[in-house]
Amino acid sequence: MSRLSCSIYLAALVLGAASLNGCSSIPTSGPSSAQIDRASGAANPAGIQIVDVTDDIARKLYAERSTGDFSSTLGNGTLFQQQLGVGDTIEVSIWEAPPATLFGAAQGDAKAGTSNARVTVLPDQTIGGDGNIDVPFAGQIKAAGRTPGELQRDITARLKNIAHDPQVLVKLSRNETSYVTVVGDVASSNRMALTARGERLLDALAGAGGVKQPVDKITIQVTRGNTVASLPLETVIRDPRQNVPLHAGDVVTALFQPYSFMALGATGKNEEINFEAQGITLAQALARAGGLQDSRSDAQGVFIFRLEDAKALPWPISPVRTTADGKVPVVYRVNLRDPNSFFVAQSFMMDNKDLLYVSNAPIAEVQKFLNVVFSVAYPVITGVQTFK
């Protein structure tokens, strides 16, 4: 190459490099490993903690994971007891031993056989909004929130002094309140009536036709009042204690892969990826994200961004700064150039809403820089040679 050509070539490179000064940065998918390292330095208003993932760290985090289950949260010892509620329809039958003094004009009930006792069957009554029913000679009686047996005893007590040896039977004619609602990823969402048999969680799922997705990818959520509990369906099937009795008003929801993490950076695909409630490891997460891109990824720069519980680990930076809800912003760092890290990745569990990020290798950034420089320099060199 002649001296003039070299001068032109160098001038073009200088021109290309100078043009980069006007740019804010070289295009990239996120911070480099060095930039993430600097994020935990002295100027760290967010209080970011950077933790290298080791086997000890993975074990501590696994031990901190929630161990709540249905049997402890919802209870496993109390079977369903039929309670009357607003909207239920009941039938009240009253027997009076002879000589009948109050219901003497009543007609005998064919179901009562040849007994001399007189029975009066009151018209069906729907429990009103105030929770009461009306019984002749006894007045208004509270029915909502009581079992049929409790209501029977109350009516009997009120009639005892005005009727001759009264006996009362309360029967639920139409059930409108003792139901469990089953929704979500089931074959057929429905409302299942509860009976004295004491239906359990798996009974409700079977009544809805079962789940539509593989058992190991389904989470069961039970809502009871203000309590919401979730557990993998596989655990409910494997552990009979988790097949808890249901209560009236429970809502059972079958959720398919209810959790997710986000994969960004130099992974095979950048997207939000769902996973099942029993959890997945970092190794599984990397596989579902398509692995590392061989042409640009930095195997030493695999990071998991997470808002972690403040008591999960002894943090490297003190004082520990937390978010408004008591979480610590932490970046877990994994070096996949170390063969031992592949074993650690199989025990490090992903959490819901984790962000998995793989940084670009430094050489990839250099290559992008040179591509930009040559894209500016090449037209200049070509133009000079054309008009030479």
Side-chain angles (χ1 to χ4, degrees), residues 7-238:
S7 299
I8 294 173
Y9 184 73
L10 290 174
L13 288 178
V14 171
L15 178 62
S19 68
L20 292 177
N21 291 332
C23 302
S24 59
S25 64
I26 297 175
T28 183
S29 59
S32 65
S33 295
Q35 289 171 323
I36 293 176
D37 288 342
R38 290 195 295 270
S40 63
N44 182 15
I48 298 173
Q49 306 278 348
I50 296 183
V51 177
D52 288 308
V53 177
T54 62
D55 182 64
D56 184 54
I57 293 294
R59 288 175 182 272
K60 287 181 179 179
L61 291 175
Y62 186 83
E64 288 291 327
R65 293 175 70 86
S66 174
T67 57
D69 54 29
F70 287 157
S71 61
S72 59
T73 305
L74 303 175
N76 196 20
T78 304
L79 292 176
F80 170 74
Q81 286 189 328
Q82 181 73 59
Q83 282 193 331
L84 304 174
V86 174
D88 284 344
T89 300
I90 60 174
E91 177 187 279
V92 178
S93 300
I94 304 172
W95 280 264
E96 187 177 9
T101 59
L102 190 61
F103 298 99
Q107 299 296 319
D109 186 2
K111 299 178 183 178
T114 59
S115 171
N116 291 325
R118 313 295 294 183
V119 60
T120 298
V121 181
L122 302 182
D124 284 357
Q125 292 190 67
T126 299
I127 300 174
D130 57 0
N132 297 330
I133 61 168
D134 290 302
V135 177
F137 306 107
Q140 285 199 335
I141 299 178
K142 188 72 172 179
R146 309 174 80 175
T147 66
E150 291 171 339
L151 183 57
Q152 287 173 188
R153 289 190 289 273
D154 192 2
I155 297 174
T156 301
R158 295 199 184 197
L159 295 175
K160 187 173 183 179
N161 295 326
I162 55 177
H164 184 220
D165 193 16
Q167 302 292 319
V168 177
L169 175 65
V170 174
K171 183 176 71 174
L172 180 64
S173 300
R174 188 169 67 248
N175 176 15
E176 294 292 344
T177 58
S178 296
Y179 279 90
V180 168
T181 303
V182 185
V183 295
D185 238 308
V186 292
S188 177
S189 299
N190 67 1
R191 293 176 70 223
M192 183 187 74
L194 295 177
T195 68
R197 187 175 72 86
E199 285 76 10
R200 292 177 176 266
L201 180 56
L202 292 180
D203 295 325
L205 292 174
V211 296
K212 296 189 291 186
Q213 303 293 340
V215 169
D216 62 345
K217 297 186 182 298
I218 291 289
T219 295
I220 301 301
Q221 175 181 288
V222 178
T223 305
R224 179 176 296 171
N226 294 325
T227 301
V228 180
S230 300
L231 207 62
L233 176 56
E234 193 174 40
T235 302
V236 177
I237 295 173
R238 187 174 60 248

Side-chain angles (χ1 to χ4, degrees), residues 134-364:
D134 290 302
V135 177
F137 306 107
Q140 285 199 335
I141 299 178
K142 188 72 172 179
R146 309 174 80 175
T147 66
E150 291 171 339
L151 183 57
Q152 287 173 188
R153 289 190 289 273
D154 192 2
I155 297 174
T156 301
R158 295 199 184 197
L159 295 175
K160 187 173 183 179
N161 295 326
I162 55 177
H164 184 220
D165 193 16
Q167 302 292 319
V168 177
L169 175 65
V170 174
K171 183 176 71 174
L172 180 64
S173 300
R174 188 169 67 248
N175 176 15
E176 294 292 344
T177 58
S178 296
Y179 279 90
V180 168
T181 303
V182 185
V183 295
D185 238 308
V186 292
S188 177
S189 299
N190 67 1
R191 293 176 70 223
M192 183 187 74
L194 295 177
T195 68
R197 187 175 72 86
E199 285 76 10
R200 292 177 176 266
L201 180 56
L202 292 180
D203 295 325
L205 292 174
V211 296
K212 296 189 291 186
Q213 303 293 340
V215 169
D216 62 345
K217 297 186 182 298
I218 291 289
T219 295
I220 301 301
Q221 175 181 288
V222 178
T223 305
R224 179 176 296 171
N226 294 325
T227 301
V228 180
S230 300
L231 207 62
L233 176 56
E234 193 174 40
T235 302
V236 177
I237 295 173
R238 187 174 60 248
D239 184 359
R241 295 174 302 169
Q242 310 313 321
N243 187 25
V244 294
L246 296 172
H247 292 185
D250 284 355
V251 178
V252 178
T253 308
L255 303 170
F256 173 62
Q257 292 187 330
Y259 301 150
S260 67
F261 71 92
M262 289 159 284
L264 298 176
T267 58
K269 54 183 178 181
N270 287 183
E271 62 182 41
E272 185 174 5
I273 300 173
N274 294 326
F275 65 93
E276 46 276 15
Q278 59 262 40
I280 59 173
T281 64
L282 173 59
Q284 290 174 300
L286 285 169
R288 294 189 186 188
L292 276 60
Q293 286 193 21
D294 189 57
S295 60
R296 53 177 279 224
S297 63
D298 181 5
Q300 300 180 72
V302 177
F303 302 95
I304 300 93
F305 290 73
R306 179 184 298 174
L307 291 173
E308 190 69 86
D309 188 84
K311 298 179 180 179
L313 293 171
W315 302 108
I317 299 177
S318 295
V320 177
R321 297 179 184 177
T322 60
T323 59
D325 57 350
K327 300 294 185 180
V328 177
V330 56
V331 181
Y332 293 107
R333 177 170 52 196
V334 181
N335 177 12
L336 289 183
R337 285 193 178 276
D338 179 4
N340 293 321
S341 65
F342 284 87
F343 293 101
V344 175
Q346 294 181 63
S347 58
F348 182 89
M349 302 300 296
M350 299 293 289
D351 276 358
N352 189 31
K353 303 305 179 185
D354 275 356
L355 193 155
L356 171 62
Y357 173 73
V358 179
S359 64
N360 287 337
I363 191 64

